[in-house]
Amino acid sequence: MIRRGLAAGVLVIAAWVVLPLWQRQDHGPPMAGSMPGATASLPPATELKGPAPAPVRYAYQPECPGQSGPCLRWHLVSTRGEQWWLPGVSGEDTFVLSDDGTRAAYPHGGGFVLHDLMTGTVTPLRVEGEGEPMFSLDGRHLAVGREVADLATGRVHRLNGEARGWTSSGVITSTLKPDDRTPGRVNVTVFTVSSPEGRRLRRSTSPGDLSSDGVLSPSGRQFATLMREVTPTSVTTTSILINRERAVTPRLPAGWTITTILRWRGEDGLLVRMRGPANRIAYHIVDLTTGRPLPGGVEERGLSTVIGRLN
């Protein structure tokens, strides 16, 4: 049974139409609490027939005027600013993009399909796992639950646990277990990196209290998590902790805070989801050497968003 729904950790809820920050033009210094730039509108969406002329920056589910619910389709925005919708793809289903924005995967006919956006080819996959589909960093494999599909051959391999993410060498699974070396009821998270064929490559551990939103880097040697400050009125990210050894202070405009780490960008950047004034949502790559967001982010003003080739 395929779980149909919005992709957790990549999809978010808001209430407007999605606009890319990269299209905006500055008109003087940004106001406090705002991300740089002035809003520009997207061109009308057209049906994508055949190959896409450019990779996809992000996909979103728009709100349709005159309807009580969302539009039953996904809209794709390219790196050049074109906007398309995909025929045969329900907006109520999970939809994911590869990191380079050239491939998409979504449920169809009781399974999943691979949509090569650069060629227009749609290929059925034999994966039957439940869970969030995740492309490998190079876009050559797709993990769904306990299964990994080789997108070149169509062969499917079984994992020993639920896929949680990818490094450059393989797929990540994790297990929470008691820490026998520490007195008291303390847990650690054991991360296992396996080849796409299911062969175990290496293991590492992290304190259990940091594992819920932590993400391994492509090398598998760095582990990033958020440190938060909770007050009666808000939850604010105070720092990004790397391997519990180095803290990076986010340097964001006033009123903005990081809510989720989505994935690494190389070994020195993190793609994050941020919340700002009036519950605005934005996605940016944060430079871990400076703590500042890089240019070219996306602000969400739609019902749900999936990030592809952001930068």
Side-chain angles (χ1 to χ4, degrees):
M1 178 68 67
I2 300 297
R3 185 184 67 184
R4 302 183 183 275
L6 300 182
V10 182
L11 304 181
V12 296
I13 303 302
W16 298 281
V17 176
V18 180
L19 298 173
L21 292 182
W22 72 277
Q23 285 189 330
R24 303 177 177 191
Q25 298 177 349
D26 286 337
H27 298 275
M31 297 176 60
S34 67
M35 299 304 293
T39 300
S41 60
L42 289 170
T46 59
E47 181 179 354
L48 180 61
K49 299 178 180 179
V56 174
R57 284 174 54 78
Y58 64 94
Y60 73 98
Q61 189 184 60
E63 186 176 28
C64 293
Q67 293 190 19
S68 59
C71 293
L72 297 181
R73 61 178 56 157
W74 285 96
H75 283 204
L76 280 58
V77 179
S78 80
T79 55
R80 304 191 315 193
E82 299 106 329
Q83 184 177 197
W84 313 293
W85 57 271
L86 284 177
V89 183
S90 173
E92 294 182 331
D93 285 338
T94 297
F95 184 89
V96 293
L97 290 164
S98 60
D99 289 0
D100 63 1
T102 65
R103 291 178 162 189
Y106 46 86
H108 184 74
F112 280 89
V113 296
L114 169 70
H115 193 139
D116 188 324
L117 298 169
M118 298 296 97
T119 66
T121 304
V122 179
T123 305
L125 301 174
R126 296 199 297 267
V127 291
E128 298 179 353
E130 296 184 2
E132 171 65 22
M134 291 175 286
F135 279 100
S136 60
L137 302 186
D138 58 12
R140 297 179 182 177
H141 296 86
L142 185 75
V144 184
R146 291 175 173 262
E147 297 181 336
V148 174
D150 185 321
L151 301 180
T153 66
R155 191 171 302 171
V156 176
H157 301 279
R158 185 80 175 173
L159 300 172
N160 290 326
E162 296 281 334
R164 176 165 173 172
W166 289 88
T167 68
S168 55
S169 58
V171 61
I172 306 166
T173 57
S174 64
T175 304
L176 193 66
K177 58 178 288 188
D179 184 1
D180 298 331
R181 298 171 297 179
T182 304
R185 311 184 97 182
V186 178
N187 290 327
V188 295
T189 300
V190 179
F191 292 96
T192 302
V193 178
S194 303
S195 70
E197 295 75 31
R199 178 171 55 89
R200 192 176 75 186
L201 301 177
R202 62 180 178 272
R203 282 185 172 179
S204 62
T205 60
S206 174
D209 61 330
L210 298 182
S211 64
S212 61
D213 60 2
V215 182
L216 280 174
S217 70
S219 70
R221 294 190 292 268
Q222 297 193 92
F223 181 75
T225 191
L226 300 177
M227 299 300 292
R228 297 184 174 97
E229 180 180 89
V230 180
T231 69
T233 58
S234 66
V235 178
T236 303
T237 295
T238 57
S239 63
I240 302 169
L241 200 59
I242 310 298
N243 292 346
R244 219 173 195 179
E245 300 171 354
R246 175 169 67 101
V248 177
T249 301
R251 302 184 183 279
L252 309 178
W256 287 85
T257 188
I258 296 173
T259 61
T260 310
I261 299 173
L262 299 180
R263 61 179 184 250
W264 284 77
R265 175 70 178 221
E267 293 291 314
D268 297 312
L270 292 173
L271 173 62
V272 300
R273 175 182 182 263
M274 306 189 305
R275 185 182 66 250
N279 287 323
R280 291 164 60 193
I281 301 297
Y283 301 85
H284 269 274
I285 295 172
V286 172
D287 185 344
L288 293 179
T289 62
T290 65
R292 298 185 183 279
L294 298 177
V298 169
E299 181 168 347
E300 175 171 280
R301 294 181 182 173
L303 295 174
S304 46
T305 299
V306 178
I307 302 298
R309 185 172 178 172
L310 186 57
N311 208 308

